[in-house]
Amino acid sequence: MLLGKGQDALTYLGELMSRFVQPNTMYKESGPVIETPLSAAQSLHDMICQSWGGVIRVFPALPGAWADLTVHTFRTQGAFLLSAVRKGGVTRWVRLVSEAGAPCVVRHGITGPVEVRDGRGRPLRWSAAGEGAIRITLRKGDSALITARGDRPDLTIAPVQPNEEAPR
């Protein structure tokens, strides 16, 4: 996942789930254990969001099958709550809420020029931080909404329709 290989990660997780994880979420070795399923859950988290080295990475390692994805109030490094929506393989918007009040660097994954607005829809100052990332300074309780320039996407948080049936 750290390498951005979402398809490989999905393949490995699928193998783990189909061969080793039991319906009760336990993994069977010499007896039932929980470490491996917890590692699988962390792997899912890392596919959706990574925050290390002072950078929040949104949707860094998604497989192609996950064209639509919604994440809501996902806690990141630096006490930020991340919400974001991806539709048709395109990140539509990213919102960060600061719980502590600090600058943040976010690799948002939105193609092309972006706009950053505060919680009231007013333009918010930001600067480029390289490699598709921007730097935003937020006070405690403040939020930043990142969208493609000129885009006004639907900001509704809603369940995503599954791609296919999944085993219980």
Side-chain angles (χ1 to χ4, degrees):
M1 278 90 28
L2 296 177
L3 301 175
K5 295 184 177 183
Q7 193 59 48
D8 290 346
L10 182 61
T11 299
Y12 296 135
L13 284 171
E15 187 72 16
L16 173 72
M17 296 302 289
S18 66
R19 292 183 57 200
F20 300 108
V21 176
Q22 305 299 304
N24 65 357
T25 72
M26 296 297 246
Y27 174 82
K28 190 173 182 181
E29 287 178 359
S30 59
V33 295
I34 190 64
E35 302 87 16
T36 302
L38 292 177
S39 176
Q42 183 60 51
S43 295
L44 285 171
H45 289 167
D46 289 344
M47 293 166 76
I48 295 167
C49 177
Q50 297 174 20
S51 58
W52 48 270
V55 178
I56 299 166
R57 295 159 182 84
V58 182
F59 305 143
L62 298 183
W66 294 2
D68 298 337
L69 190 79
T70 297
V71 61
H72 185 52
T73 63
F74 188 102
R75 191 172 310 279
T76 71
Q77 183 181 68
F80 295 97
L81 297 176
L82 166 73
S83 296
V85 168
R86 177 178 170 89
K87 289 189 183 244
V90 175
T91 301
R92 295 300 313 276
W93 59 268
V94 173
R95 177 182 294 127
L96 291 162
V97 177
S98 177
E99 292 188 301
C104 84
V105 175
V106 59
R107 191 170 298 154
H108 48 74
I110 296 172
T111 304
V114 297
E115 292 179 352
V116 182
R117 299 192 175 273
D118 68 11
R120 294 185 176 176
R122 299 174 298 202
L124 194 61
R125 286 188 181 187
W126 60 275
S127 61
E131 298 183 32
I134 63 173
R135 179 175 290 104
I136 310 165
T137 300
L138 295 171
R139 292 178 301 194
K140 183 177 181 177
D142 283 355
S143 68
L145 175 67
I146 307 164
T147 62
R149 185 179 296 156
D151 191 14
R152 297 292 180 261
D154 180 4
L155 302 178
T156 303
I157 298 293
V160 173
Q161 293 298 316
N163 294 339
E164 59 187 46
E165 288 294 318
R168 291 179 57 144

